[in-house]
Amino acid sequence: MKDALAIHRALLEWEAVHEIVRLPVAISHADELPKALGLPAERCLVTRVYACDGGRRGRRFLTGVIVPAGERPVVEAVRRTVGARTVRPAHPDLVNAVTEYAAGLVCPLLLPDTMPLLIDHRLADGLNSDDVVYTATGEASTALGIRGSSLYALCHAKPVDPLAPPAVPAPAATPETTHSRT
């Protein structure tokens, strides 16, 4: 399993300024980071993992979505962005096996190349180069503190609006509604 040490080593190799923070209490999910660190939710990021069924021959894959702690993307927005037929929260066993992180504590770094990663566009657009954000490390007792712009550059996530309501298709016209009645 990947952990804070694996993340730390990779960030040293990439020469990225960061800090591994020891949490005062153990957490079971990244949504608990704001309370554990005493920070606003928008400074604590969660990587939510979804199982997707692709459009071609049932290709299955995982995708991650980086959002502020406590927020959940609209599943339909994720489905449209990755071009899947169906999207649902991934089962913890699958998350553990594919990402090599503990489910609920997934870091947006060191994920498989086959796993598309999306980020809430508000985070990507609103990150000042010096703003530090915190994310899970795969461990219950640590968090990663890193400049938001560095995290965004290193994780190669695609900015999206994961909270956008799904577009409602126009109702199909029927022959009786397209002709005027006399």
Side-chain angles (χ1 to χ4, degrees):
M1 293 293 276
K2 292 179 189 158
D3 58 9
L5 184 57
I7 295 166
H8 175 67
R9 286 179 176 155
L11 289 167
L12 286 175
E13 184 178 314
W14 297 329
E15 298 180 1
V17 176
H18 68 284
E19 177 183 15
I20 301 296
V21 179
R22 176 135 330 258
L23 299 174
V25 295
I27 61 172
S28 61
H29 197 283
D31 282 322
E32 300 170 35
L33 281 171
K35 184 176 179 183
L37 292 168
L39 293 171
E42 58 271 7
R43 296 232 359 245
C44 300
L45 308 182
V46 177
T47 303
R48 306 223 184 266
V49 181
Y50 294 89
C52 306
D53 292 318
R56 291 179 279 147
R57 290 177 266 178
R59 178 173 89 70
R60 294 181 179 185
F61 60 96
L62 293 184
T63 192
V65 184
I66 305 167
V67 294
E71 290 190 12
R72 297 203 178 279
V74 174
V75 175
E76 179 62 16
V78 175
R79 185 195 68 74
R80 282 193 326 260
T81 302
V82 298
R85 283 181 308 148
T86 61
V87 172
R88 64 191 172 288
H91 191 275
D93 291 344
L94 183 59
V95 174
N96 294 347
V98 174
T99 68
E100 297 183 38
Y101 287 114
L105 297 172
V106 175
C107 180
L109 300 172
L110 303 178
L111 293 171
D113 291 336
T114 58
M115 185 174 159
L117 191 58
L118 311 175
I119 187 169
D120 186 327
H121 73 91
R122 296 171 301 168
L123 297 170
D125 296 341
L127 293 174
N128 179 314
S129 62
D130 292 328
D131 289 344
V132 175
V133 294
Y134 295 85
T135 188
T137 62
E139 295 178 357
S141 60
T142 62
L144 168 65
I146 187 169
R147 289 185 177 120
S149 57
S150 296
L151 180 70
Y152 175 57
L154 292 169
C155 72
H156 306 289
K158 175 183 177 182
V160 297
D161 186 355
L163 305 176
V168 179
T174 60
E176 56 193 44
T177 60
T178 57
H179 300 291
S180 60
R181 297 179 194 234
T182 55

